[in-house]
Amino acid sequence: MTSVHTSTDNRKTILALTLIAAVAPALLMMAPVVAGQLGAELQLGPAAIGSLFTAELGAMSLASLPACYWLSRVNWRLAGTLAASVFIVANLGSMLADSASTLIPLRVLSGLGGGSLMILCMGTASMLPKSDRIYGFWVMGQLVLGALGLTLLPSLFAHYGLAVFFAVLAVLMLLCLPLIRYLPANKQLSAGTTKADTTARLSLPALVGLLAVLLFYISLNGVWTFLGALAESINIDAQVSGNVLAMASLLGIAGALSATLLGGRKRFRLLLVGGYAVMIAGILLLTGSPDETRFTLAALGFKYAWTFALPFILASLASIDRNGQLMSLVNLVIGGGLALGPLIAGRMIEEFHGFQAVLLGSALLAFLSLVLILLLQSKTEQTLGEPEHV
């Protein structure tokens, strides 16, 4: 009876963290259509729109810094309720904003609330058995909601304007509030860990893992951000490339789903290497002057592979996280990688007058990330995938 009850509780916790983690970064997942509406309705230029998205992404990442203090000291359910409330209030306020100067501070506030929730969800996932599968749900929830938003928002914007987006975010988070009670009250110390360990410095394996995540995100976002521009440079029709990227988004959902189905094993090194290998192959297929078929295969394989590999990467770090602070720093590193990828790639494209240097550099970064993750696994001798069912 006890194991069944535990399994049921785990399912509720998985549902809670999947839904909450899907809503928190929704603006970033639906950025293309929201950016268009910001320009059309508020007459914001590219610089102002970029500043707004950078402000929210930066706030989500920087939420990791105070979390390093409060994660081991505050009841997680209380912290989650407070963070969700901040998120809701900020989005309700965003409905009334009529300029960048009023909207950006509200998006920073929303980012802080959403980032804190993401940290709690990542920390919760690290506590559950078969965390690689849980991170698969974590990724998939974001991708599914993002795909729905990209599909539905244009028609909603046509009828109700930009305010409807912020209203939907507030309502969705309001619906998630009752789910916060299924999150743990705090991070349980792992066997053999003392209370003093919760404030210890980051270990070498932890630093190796954080660097691997940073390189992974710089690589993927440097390529993904400029895929449309790359297609244009090789004379692929805009409608065709748009269709390919839309299909790639669906393949991304399939990649995360595959990780949840194939995960939960004691050792997943082969799956991890396979995901990285397909991702790197996809990047290299884009080099030279790919035709339409090669571009399609590259984009689909690349998107599927990185969403497939990511849950196993996060599970590798979760296996050495003693008090939730490492996964909090992972949130910071992810934000840094997402921001640095396009920044570095854009400058390289201008400096080298093309995409080849970016593609080769991104493939190298992905390979280095793989090497670091494998090094982390060999050092920690991790054995994930307990025999419990979730």
Side-chain angles (χ1 to χ4, degrees):
M1 290 296 290
T2 302
S3 62
V4 173
H5 182 265
T6 300
S7 179
T8 301
D9 288 347
N10 282 348
R11 290 192 182 98
K12 292 178 179 177
T13 301
I14 293 168
L15 176 65
L17 70 87
T18 299
L19 295 180
I20 294 169
V23 177
L27 175 66
L28 303 174
M29 301 302 295
M30 305 172 194
V33 293
V34 177
Q37 189 66 19
L38 285 167
E41 188 170 328
L42 300 184
Q43 278 73 55
L44 300 184
I49 293 172
S51 297
L52 187 147
F53 282 103
T54 299
E56 178 146 357
L57 178 60
M60 289 190 71
S61 300
L62 291 176
S64 299
L65 298 181
C68 288
Y69 174 82
W70 61 255
L71 271 172
S72 59
R73 294 172 172 84
V74 177
N75 183 293
W76 284 17
R77 293 168 188 161
L78 177 61
T81 301
L82 178 61
S85 300
V86 169
F87 183 91
I88 292 168
V89 170
N91 279 283
L92 291 175
S94 297
M95 294 174 60
L96 307 175
D98 57 2
S99 67
S101 60
T102 54
L103 185 56
I104 287 178
L106 290 165
R107 299 323 304 165
V108 169
L109 194 61
S110 177
L112 289 172
S116 299
L117 288 168
M118 291 292 280
I119 291 164
L120 289 173
C121 291
M122 294 176 75
T124 298
S126 73
M127 298 167 61
L128 294 171
K130 304 177 183 177
S131 60
D132 50 349
R133 296 183 64 188
I134 311 307
Y135 285 118
F137 285 113
W138 180 82
V139 175
M140 187 168 58
Q142 297 170 41
L143 294 172
V144 169
L145 185 61
L148 288 173
L150 292 173
T151 303
L152 300 176
L153 279 179
S155 60
L156 289 174
F157 283 153
H159 289 90
Y160 305 106
L162 182 65
V164 70
F165 171 70
F166 300 119
V168 167
L169 289 189
V171 169
L172 288 176
M173 188 57 74
L174 188 63
L175 294 174
C176 287
L177 269 176
L179 299 175
I180 291 176
R181 70 177 183 270
Y182 297 122
L183 299 181
N186 50 50
K187 174 74 175 182
Q188 299 296 321
L189 298 181
S190 58
T193 304
T194 66
K195 188 71 175 179
D197 290 331
T198 61
T199 57
R201 292 183 179 180
L202 286 175
S203 64
L204 179 59
L207 293 174
V208 168
L210 289 173
L211 180 58
V213 172
L214 178 65
L215 297 181
F216 179 80
Y217 269 92
I218 292 175
S219 171
L220 79 86
N221 213 32
V223 173
W224 182 250
T225 300
F226 293 101
L227 265 183
L230 187 152
E232 183 180 355
S233 73
I234 53 178
N235 299 316
I236 293 179
D237 182 74
Q239 182 62 51
V240 172
S241 66
N243 291 339
V244 169
L245 296 181
M247 287 189 294
S249 296
L250 295 178
L251 262 291
I253 297 173
L257 178 60
S258 299
T260 64
L261 295 176
L262 295 175
R265 302 161 187 262
K266 288 187 176 182
R267 301 194 182 277
F268 50 74
R269 183 170 298 190
L270 186 60
L271 296 174
L272 182 67
V273 172
Y276 268 101
V278 175
M279 176 181 171
I280 294 170
I283 296 173
L284 294 177
L285 276 175
L286 293 169
T287 58
S289 297
D291 57 18
E292 191 175 300
T293 300
R294 204 169 103 196
F295 175 82
T296 301
L297 289 174
L300 297 182
F302 173 77
K303 183 71 172 184
Y304 176 90
W306 80 254
T307 60
F308 177 81
L310 180 58
F312 300 113
I313 297 171
L314 296 177
S316 298
L317 273 79
S319 69
I320 60 171
D321 188 18
R322 292 179 172 178
N323 63 350
Q325 291 186 0
L326 177 56
M327 298 314 293
S328 171
L329 291 175
V330 168
N331 180 69
L332 177 65
V333 168
I334 287 174
L338 287 172
L340 286 173
L343 178 65
I344 294 173
R347 293 189 175 184
M348 289 182 68
I349 291 168
E350 291 185 0
E351 179 69 23
F352 294 99
H353 307 289
F355 295 87
Q356 302 310 301
V358 168
L359 295 171
L360 294 175
S362 294
L364 177 60
L365 290 180
F367 176 75
L368 292 175
S369 175
L370 171 60
V371 171
L372 290 173
I373 284 292
L374 294 178
L375 180 62
L376 169 65
Q377 291 185 352
S378 64
K379 279 184 174 294
T380 57
E381 298 179 356
Q382 66 174 19
T383 55
L384 297 178
E386 292 83 344
E388 302 170 53
H389 298 287
V390 295

